[in-house]
DNA sequence: CGGCCAGTTGACTCGCATCAATGTATGTGG
DNA sequence: CCACATACATTGATGCGAGTCAACTGGCCG
């Protein structure tokens, strides 16, 4: 499993870091830690005291409704910054657990504050990173609101594909997808039984192909049309009004 | 229709502003403008060059799928800061239009950058504000994923209620809801026909009561139970680790 | 008055949930 | 290496919640 370079690599996708900024980040970031499948990064109701960059491995965020049923609302892939969405809150409202073994780069909440105080450009990079995560969730909301089961699955597969590619451009149309059908069903608002049927249909139609914990996109354009998927909302660059301003400082 | 005080009032809900910060904001913010129902704040594919604080009036964000069907993904209520979600992007991916007449406080994207450069505390307030919007969308995603039609409507009504109260604590259980059933249906993933039936059922069960463009919550606890609604995720305060740090600076 | 739009109501249909049985790996201890 | 347990995926039968289509009502406005 490939290891990425912590928060500086992740933020580097939003703002070109100079030496000083890279130094600041590596100075604030803690040692990487290895975690096993099933390990929890944090629990519901805890104070958000650490955020984690995923060097490798997948995680997911869930909470439980009044009847104890699990509700998955987010998945984190290698390179993601887990925790910025909730870091300003008094307490976490999700539990985040590893779906696979992995390597994490922890960063204390107070160090995040140091970043904001010492470097406006990094503050902006953090905000951009958070905005991308938000856009992904908004996009999934739209997906679930207006697409049927087949389109939802198509859309989700493409979401993951482009998210993986954003951080690692060696990813091709054959990639790891360590989610059980149970997780897929919780994220897409359908039963795992129906996921199974829909996946079989997509495979039958030669749009994709499953190989154990991995998946292969066989016909990306047709999958994108089926899922009404627009990659611009995932890949779009920085606002030129901000980019110009940043370059001057 | 009540008028609020622009961005300083909105951000003041996240960080206690000192005189200097309030001055900075009022200096950067432009003159308020009046807009009519139907006016667009921006369109899909435009560069995000202005964000708007809603002094009064409601707006909604939509985009159109491949078949031209409208998809509503967000609604803005008085006091909301519209645009921070997309401001870091190269181009807007929604169109935002007024649902009612209203008053807006515009702020140029580059002035937002001035805020981040000149005041880390305000940068944090902006980020907190964005995080709240994100939490609302995440919460609605969970709502749509795992609740049936009745619970979705109950949840949404409470979402609006708590959002209005966050900004204006004079709001009671009778409040304005200038959304057509068409908008509700698009936000909740169901048809307006079914919205009509469900609303009638909720009224029949004495949980709420509709009066034209307004609505009255008759039984808040029961509505909250039905919609599995937890107000903490809307009202929760600032992370104490951040709050303590901010107080020291 | 007539046209228009939002909402309501009923009959019918269908996508997906539910329940239940079976298939297929993967792992574990004797 | 086999007997068994466990977890995940598949398949079929049946039922329900919500969509669809269409007719009708009532308010608003030129």
């Amino acid at each position: 499993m490939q290891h990425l370079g912590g928060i500086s690599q992740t933020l580097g996708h939003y703002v070109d870091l100079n030496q000083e900024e890279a130094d600041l980040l590596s100075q604030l970031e803690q040692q990487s830690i290895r975690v096993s499948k099933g390990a929890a990064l944090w629990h519901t109701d805890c104070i958000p005291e650490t955020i984690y960059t995923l060097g490798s491995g997948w995680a997911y965020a869930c909470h439980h409704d009044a009847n104890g049923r699990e509700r998955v609302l987010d998945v984190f892939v290698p390179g993601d910054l887990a925790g910025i969405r909730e870091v300003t809150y008094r307490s976490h409202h999700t539990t985040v657990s590893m779906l696979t073994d992995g390597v994490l780069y922890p960063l204390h909440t107070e160090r995040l504050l140091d970043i904001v105080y010492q470097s406006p450009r990094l503050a902006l990079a953090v905000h951009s990173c958070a905005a991308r995560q938000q856009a992904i969730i908004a996009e999934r909301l739209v997906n679930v609101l207006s697409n049927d089961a087949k389109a939802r699955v198509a859309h989700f597969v493409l979401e993951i594909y482009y998210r993986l590619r954003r951080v690692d451009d060696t990813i091709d149309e054959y990639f790891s997808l360590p989610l059980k059908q149970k997780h897929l069903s919780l994220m897409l608002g359908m039963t795992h039984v129906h996921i199974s049927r829909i996946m079989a249909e997509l495979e039958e139609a030669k749009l994709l192909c499953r190989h154990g914990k991995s998946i292969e996109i066989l016909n990306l354009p047709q999958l994108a049309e089926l899922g009404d998927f627009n990659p611009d909302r995932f890949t779009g660059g920085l606002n030129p009004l901000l980019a110009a301003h940043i370059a001057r400082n």
Side-chain angles (χ1 to χ4, degrees), chain A residues 73-110:
Chain A
L73 72 87
D74 218 350
V75 59
F76 298 106
V77 306
D80 275 348
L81 194 52
I84 23 172
R85 192 161 59 79
E86 302 187 1
V87 75
T88 64
Y89 274 83
R90 182 182 296 283
S91 59
H92 280 296
H93 42 260
T94 58
T95 297
V96 169
S97 309
M98 295 301 294
L99 278 165
T100 65
D101 295 347
V103 172
L104 304 178
Y105 296 84
L107 180 77
H108 270 298
T109 297
E110 295 177 348

Side-chain angles (χ1 to χ4, degrees), chain A residues 5-239:
Chain A
I7 195 171
S8 55
Q9 177 161 349
T10 296
L11 293 184
H13 284 101
Y14 300 97
V15 168
D16 284 325
L17 305 181
N18 59 35
Q19 192 57 46
E20 190 184 345
E21 287 157 348
D23 289 348
L24 175 61
L25 289 177
S26 66
Q27 174 194 331
L28 294 177
E29 194 168 54
Q30 294 158 249
Q31 274 249 279
S32 69
I33 55 174
R34 296 183 166 277
V35 289
S36 305
K37 177 174 171 172
L41 276 57
W42 60 75
H43 290 279
T44 306
D45 298 330
C46 293
I47 296 176
E49 53 184 21
T50 310
I51 66 175
Y52 298 91
T53 309
L54 271 73
S56 67
W58 290 51
Y60 75 108
C62 71
H63 70 116
H64 297 268
D65 70 6
N67 307 318
R69 281 179 321 183
E70 194 175 53
R71 317 216 269 188
V72 176
L73 72 87
D74 218 350
V75 59
F76 298 106
V77 306
D80 275 348
L81 194 52
I84 23 172
R85 192 161 59 79
E86 302 187 1
V87 75
T88 64
Y89 274 83
R90 182 182 296 283
S91 59
H92 280 296
H93 42 260
T94 58
T95 297
V96 169
S97 309
M98 295 301 294
L99 278 165
T100 65
D101 295 347
V103 172
L104 304 178
Y105 296 84
L107 180 77
H108 270 298
T109 297
E110 295 177 348
R111 298 292 82 69
L112 185 63
L113 213 42
D114 291 340
I115 291 176
V116 175
Y117 272 77
Q118 289 179 40
S119 167
R121 292 180 79 241
L122 288 178
L124 192 75
V126 170
H127 185 75
S128 296
C129 182
R132 302 300 157 136
Q133 286 186 26
Q134 186 165 3
I136 288 166
I137 291 191
E139 187 67 19
R140 191 151 57 228
L141 177 59
V142 169
N143 181 28
V144 168
L145 283 178
S146 50
N147 288 337
D148 66 8
K150 211 159 165 179
R152 281 186 209 180
V153 173
H155 188 106
F156 183 74
V157 169
L158 290 170
E159 174 197 316
I160 296 299
Y161 172 66
Y162 282 99
R163 285 176 68 180
L164 291 172
R165 275 176 67 95
R166 155 169 272 275
V167 176
D168 177 1
D169 54 18
T170 67
I171 293 279
D172 61 8
E173 279 143 40
Y174 185 105
F175 54 93
S176 171
L177 185 69
L179 295 167
K180 308 291 178 206
Q181 290 189 350
K182 187 186 76 168
H183 299 116
L184 287 174
S185 69
L186 289 168
M187 298 199 73
L188 296 175
M190 43 202 285
T191 58
H192 72 275
V193 176
H194 206 54
I195 291 275
S196 173
R197 288 190 237 266
I198 295 295
M199 291 290 250
E201 278 183 46
L202 292 174
E203 211 157 39
E204 177 67 24
K206 303 253 185 295
L207 296 179
L208 53 78
C209 180
R210 289 168 291 169
H211 309 91
K213 292 187 203 306
S214 294
I215 196 168
E216 185 175 6
I217 296 177
L218 296 178
N219 189 334
L220 197 144
Q222 213 175 323
L223 211 55
E225 196 198 330
L226 176 62
D228 193 23
F229 185 91
N230 180 353
D232 292 350
R233 289 197 283 274
F234 288 84
T235 56
L238 198 63
N239 186 331

